[in-house]
Amino acid sequence: MVNVIKQLVSQEVVNQRSYGKGNKIQYITPHQTGNMGIGANAQMHANLQSNLNARQASWHYQVDDRMVIQSFEDDVMCWAAGDGRGPGNTASIHIEMCINADGGYEQTINNGAALVKMLMDKYGLDRSRIKQHHDWSGKNCPAQLRAGYKGITWEDFLNKVDGVQEEENFGSPSPGPNQPKPKPKPVENGNSIVDYLNAQGIDSSFKNRAILAKQYGMNNYQGTAAQNIALLEKIKKGVPKKPQIAPKANLNVDGKWGKSTTRALQKALGTPVDGIISNQPKNSVTNAFYDGTIHFASGKQGSPMVKALQRMIGANPDGFMGPHTVRALQIYLGTVVDGVLSRPSLVVKEMQRRLNAGTFVK
């Protein structure tokens, strides 16, 4: 169970930093603080709220690697989504996960996932009700999860929520340096692939499960409950299929993203190959492509290839090329991170090199 410490703010703070009571509680929105400073932990952020945050902002819970602290009652409409009196502020519980340099990042993510699961169970919400700050106002938050920081993507976080077990006691302090970490309990039965892999000493992250899914002949793995059950059955049955050798391209490494680069990327990602990036909006990124590879259209469908790319690099899989996808691609390829697609582009050159070598898809 999650160990929640209550440090509720005064009524004066409620009055000055929220819309008051009336939260419909239809969603849960996990954030990341954006503060990597030493000591920027849950206690510091709770104290910040108790002392009337200088910013016009508020949130319900703050989480670090050792504790969960609640500042506002769940039914208060906090100012965290950036959408005014929209559903982000008026119908969601908000959780800030700390990223302080002296904290344990992965344990913080685990504790945040456990808190989300507890609140889902409490209010009868399903996975579709977990939203990003980005969903409400377009802000790049939770930034580290969206960029796959330390190998943990947004999809990994959602799957951690799915994998939370009540007996795991998340939210308690991490073991000290001289205390051994508890060993996972063996799981022989049940449908939790996360538990099963942990019990076997195998990396259970979404990234590794996607690799396993490919090895066992499952395409387009997205971590759904049905896919996890099917993959677990395949793993228990035995020998995986031999991994296919990634196709190698023969691109001119010129940094120009046109139809030939798009075709090579579509082959690598296993999506239909036609050299067209479909259903895209006109913006600073899509205007930087060459050779008529972009098909401009209004709507919500987006491109299947872009969605596959976004899932792989840890971006929000909305199917649209924009600065957030370019930024995630730059992080993935280790080039300068600015969210800009130049003409020509260094990140495209690096992508072309890896497509030629057959190493773009990891």
Side-chain angles (χ1 to χ4, degrees), residues 13 34 95 103 122 175 202 210 235 284 341-342 344 349 353:
V13 173
I95 300 166
K122 182 176 181 180
I202 300 171
I235 292 172
S284 60
L341 192 67
S342 306
K349 280 187 177 182
R353 289 189 191 98

Side-chain angles (χ1 to χ4, degrees), residues 78-106:
C78 285
W79 296 345
D83 66 343
R85 287 189 175 271
N89 282 339
T90 63
S92 181
I93 294 175
H94 294 274
I95 300 166
E96 285 282 0
M97 294 183 288
C98 298
I99 57 170
N100 50 305
D102 56 336
Y105 179 78
E106 184 170 3

